[in-house]
Amino acid sequence: MGSIGEPEVTVLGWWLSMFDPRVRIALIEKGIEYEYIEEDLPNKSPLLLKHNPIHKLIPVLIHNGKSICESKIILHYIDESWMDGTPLLPSDPYLRSQAAFWADYIDKKIYDGAKRIWSSKGEEMQKGGQELIGYLKVLERELGEKPYFMGESFGYVDIVLISYYHHLLAYEILGKFSVKQDCPKLFGWTTKCMERESVSKTLADPKRIYEATIEFRIKSIDIED
Amino acid sequence: MGSIGEPEVTVLGWWLSMFDPRVRIALIEKGIEYEYIEEDLPNKSPLLLKHNPIHKLIPVLIHNGKSICESKIILHYIDESWMDGTPLLPSDPYLRSQAAFWADYIDKKIYDGAKRIWSSKGEEMQKGGQELIGYLKVLERELGEKPYFMGESFGYVDIVLISYYHHLLAYEILGKFSVKQDCPKLFGWTTKCMERESVSKTLADPKRIYEATIEFRIKSIDIED
């Protein structure tokens, strides 16, 4: 327990990050109170530099003064530190390895496809859209008829993927694809996830994300179209 | 247990991969017998395509017919499945998160620095060498005076990093740096790791790695120097 005035659990985050919501969703699912500190990324705070001196990136979880960095590593830490709450990962080693495999797939592929969309224009941007929908179709096949990625309960892989969802809505417009039409099962899954308070309260407004994505594109590439 | 003629544990690998030795080192450290099948990567085997249909990459661990992919995920699986052997990871959640952080750092940074060396030439290649030695110095600071990365025992982070070692010897020549001179503590750690049979038996001959790296460079970029 922290002493008076010192929160036991603090999250350093940034509203536009697709990695930040993961930590907050997991904490809410576990029923853990936390303080959220929004970073101003162009002007990183001394607190961020102190707690993530290697990468200087959010999200960071600070628990009783100790810092844990990298969103997937933080999810494992939360699951192992608060064992009483709903488990985020299965206990069987094989099922754990499969959950880790799909979370790794999501971060390797979805981020790459998304980057191709927001860092290009015209035909290249649409190719990025096709690439991204291809990866989402792989995830749709893995989901199959299950309510959640690991079976009956919302958990680790769901948290890792749903955190991209409101960004995907921006990429849909730019990359000219539709999760609802192209991946109907995955779309059904997003609807179920969004019904959870942990998710709906945490993901940023998709309109705000879209506007920030457009602004970011204009700054980083010479947009003519 | 597999039935007669069917090995319980099989590793699909490739001698030149820096990820393949991780799996074999971990299995030897745990005292687990395994069959090793060398893949011919330009002609991927039906066994590899069956057991890693998503990425089609080695290493793959096949345990009683179930496949586990991605080297760091395999290490976690081995540690959790054979609990009786020497533990590869600590049990404390915070220490586990720190081990995962450094393993992630190694794969993000060392691979990137190495790629910059073998995919460029001249001044750019030497810049890659400086970048790589910078990352190795961060690891040297993290190692400090400890015998191994996580303390007194050889484990997860050591396995993840030592698997790069014979490749680093090739990058040293190309990128004009010296682990021995620039990172003396890290060099001492490599010597200690190489004394372990699990490591010395598993890492490929550095001369063969160097020759293959040169051949690969010639094929992939227009080398004039």
Side-chain angles (χ1 to χ4, degrees):
Chain A
M1 297 282 285
S3 39
I4 294 166
E6 275 181 25
E8 195 183 337
V9 179
T10 301
V11 177
L12 308 184
W14 183 46
W15 72 275
L16 191 56
S17 160
M18 52 278 270
F19 306 115
D20 158 327
R22 294 175 177 177
V23 179
R24 292 189 281 154
I25 293 170
L27 290 171
I28 297 170
E29 288 288 335
K30 288 275 188 183
I32 301 155
E33 287 195 20
Y34 63 93
E35 180 192 31
Y36 180 67
I37 301 178
E38 174 89 24
E39 279 290 322
D40 172 21
L41 278 197
N43 304 296
K44 294 175 180 181
S45 74
L47 197 68
L48 176 59
L49 300 180
K50 177 186 167 193
H51 285 281
N52 191 354
I54 301 293
H55 296 305
K56 304 175 180 68
L57 293 173
I58 59 93
V60 177
L61 179 79
I62 309 172
H63 182 205
N64 289 331
K66 285 180 177 168
S67 41
I68 301 101
C69 306
E70 300 289 308
S71 67
K72 295 199 297 300
I73 295 174
I74 297 173
L75 293 187
H76 278 269
Y77 175 81
I78 290 173
D79 202 33
E80 291 165 12
S81 296
W82 287 277
M83 300 280 278
D84 291 345
T86 322
L88 305 178
L89 278 148
S91 56
D92 173 77
Y94 176 71
L95 297 177
R96 288 173 77 83
S97 77
Q98 298 311 292
F101 177 86
W102 287 110
D104 177 72
Y105 178 87
I106 291 162
D107 276 351
K108 277 187 181 143
K109 300 297 187 183
I110 304 298
Y111 190 82
D112 283 356
K115 194 177 170 186
R116 196 167 167 192
I117 293 177
W118 52 249
S119 63
S120 64
K121 53 188 180 175
E123 205 180 319
E124 193 60 27
M125 191 164 73
Q126 282 193 40
K127 273 189 200 164
Q130 289 310 303
E131 190 182 313
L132 189 52
I133 201 73
Y135 299 142
L136 291 171
K137 282 181 179 170
V138 171
L139 291 168
E140 163 135 316
R141 275 200 296 280
E142 173 57 23
L143 178 67
E145 302 302 327
K146 303 190 293 285
Y148 295 106
F149 273 91
M150 289 178 296
E152 296 303 314
S153 312
F154 177 81
Y156 180 70
V157 181
D158 306 300
I159 295 173
V160 168
L161 184 57
I162 199 65
S163 297
Y164 278 100
Y165 183 51
H166 282 181
H167 290 79
L168 285 177
L169 297 178
Y171 306 142
E172 269 189 340
I173 301 168
L174 296 169
K176 297 195 173 31
F177 66 87
S178 159
V179 177
K180 191 174 181 176
Q181 281 179 21
D182 299 329
C183 299
K185 284 177 194 166
L186 203 63
F187 183 76
W189 165 87
T190 64
T191 311
K192 237 182 349 264
C193 290
M194 290 303 292
E195 283 165 8
R196 302 181 83 84
E197 212 178 284
S198 66
V199 179
S200 61
K201 270 194 167 178
T202 307
L203 298 194
D205 174 17
K207 193 168 168 283
R208 219 180 136 207
I209 291 180
Y210 176 73
E211 285 165 2
T213 306
I214 295 295
E215 198 183 332
F216 181 77
R217 290 188 71 233
I218 292 170
K219 273 189 195 161
S220 39
I221 53 171
D222 174 28
I223 305 287
E224 286 164 12
D225 50 355
Chain B
M1 297 283 285
S3 40
I4 294 167
E6 275 181 25
E8 196 183 339
V9 178
T10 301
V11 177
L12 308 183
W14 184 46
W15 73 275
L16 191 55
S17 160
M18 53 278 271
F19 307 114
D20 158 326
R22 294 175 177 176
V23 179
R24 292 189 280 152
I25 293 170
L27 290 170
I28 297 170
E29 289 287 335
K30 287 276 189 183
I32 301 155
E33 288 196 17
Y34 64 93
E35 180 191 31
Y36 180 68
I37 301 179
E38 174 88 24
E39 279 290 322
D40 173 21
L41 278 197
N43 305 296
K44 294 175 180 182
S45 74
L47 196 68
L48 175 59
L49 300 179
K50 177 186 166 194
H51 285 282
N52 191 354
I54 301 292
H55 296 305
K56 306 174 178 68
L57 293 173
I58 57 92
V60 177
L61 179 80
I62 309 172
H63 182 204
N64 289 331
K66 285 180 178 169
S67 41
I68 301 100
C69 306
E70 299 289 309
S71 67
K72 295 199 297 301
I73 295 174
I74 297 172
L75 293 187
H76 277 270
Y77 176 81
I78 290 172
D79 202 34
E80 291 165 11
S81 296
W82 288 277
M83 301 280 279
D84 291 345
T86 322
L88 305 179
L89 278 149
S91 56
D92 173 76
Y94 176 71
L95 296 178
R96 288 172 78 83
S97 77
Q98 298 312 292
F101 177 86
W102 287 110
D104 178 73
Y105 178 87
I106 291 163
D107 276 350
K108 277 188 180 141
K109 300 297 189 183
I110 304 298
Y111 190 82
D112 284 356
K115 194 176 170 185
R116 197 168 167 191
I117 293 178
W118 53 249
S119 64
S120 64
K121 54 188 179 175
E123 204 180 320
E124 193 60 27
M125 191 165 71
Q126 282 194 41
K127 273 189 199 163
Q130 288 311 302
E131 191 182 312
L132 189 53
I133 202 72
Y135 300 142
L136 291 172
K137 281 181 181 172
V138 171
L139 291 167
E140 163 135 317
R141 275 199 297 279
E142 173 56 22
L143 178 66
E145 302 302 327
K146 304 190 293 285
Y148 295 106
F149 273 91
M150 290 178 296
E152 296 302 314
S153 312
F154 178 81
Y156 180 70
V157 181
D158 306 300
I159 295 173
V160 168
L161 184 57
I162 199 64
S163 297
Y164 278 101
Y165 183 50
H166 283 180
H167 291 79
L168 284 177
L169 298 178
Y171 306 143
E172 268 189 341
I173 301 169
L174 296 168
K176 297 196 173 30
F177 65 88
S178 159
V179 176
K180 191 173 181 176
Q181 280 177 21
D182 299 329
C183 300
K185 284 176 194 166
L186 204 64
F187 183 77
W189 165 86
T190 64
T191 310
K192 236 182 351 263
C193 290
M194 290 304 293
E195 284 165 8
R196 302 181 83 85
E197 210 179 286
S198 66
V199 178
S200 61
K201 269 195 168 176
T202 307
L203 298 195
D205 174 16
K207 192 168 169 281
R208 217 179 137 208
I209 292 180
Y210 176 73
E211 285 165 0
T213 306
I214 295 296
E215 198 182 334
F216 181 76
R217 289 187 72 233
I218 291 170
K219 274 188 195 161
S220 42
I221 52 171
D222 174 29
I223 305 285
E224 286 164 13
D225 51 355

